[in-house]
Amino acid sequence: RGEAAGAGQAPPELHLPKKPLKPCCACPETKKARDACIIEKGEENCGHLIEAHKECMRALGFKI
């Protein structure tokens, strides 16, 4: 059919067993925004970012 050899196959690194995701490494975007807000404005003023990070963590299967 004119397809390149190996076309449609996943790269070899995708076949390796995945290490479990650690909470410290999950959701880096929401974690960074949350942490910056807490440092600048204090925890009591960043509830929306804290909740966004919790939602992201829950979506990845963490029990928060």
Side-chain angles (χ1 to χ4, degrees), residues 7 12 30 34 37 40 42 46 63:
T30 57
R34 177 205 65 183
C37 183
E40 292 175 22
C46 302
K63 292 179 174 45

Side-chain angles (χ1 to χ4, degrees), residues 8-59:
Q9 293 180 356
E13 62 271 8
L14 295 181
H15 295 291
L16 297 173
K18 286 188 175 186
K19 292 181 181 177
L21 185 62
K22 295 179 182 178
C24 62
C25 301
C27 303
E29 297 84 13
T30 57
K31 181 178 181 180
K32 184 177 180 180
R34 177 205 65 183
D35 291 350
C37 183
I38 291 171
I39 290 168
E40 292 175 22
K41 301 177 185 177
E43 189 173 337
E44 62 279 354
N45 297 309
C46 302
H48 62 291
L49 293 172
I50 293 169
E51 284 305 312
H53 185 60
K54 287 180 180 179
E55 298 254 340
C56 181
M57 298 288 285
R58 286 183 192 116

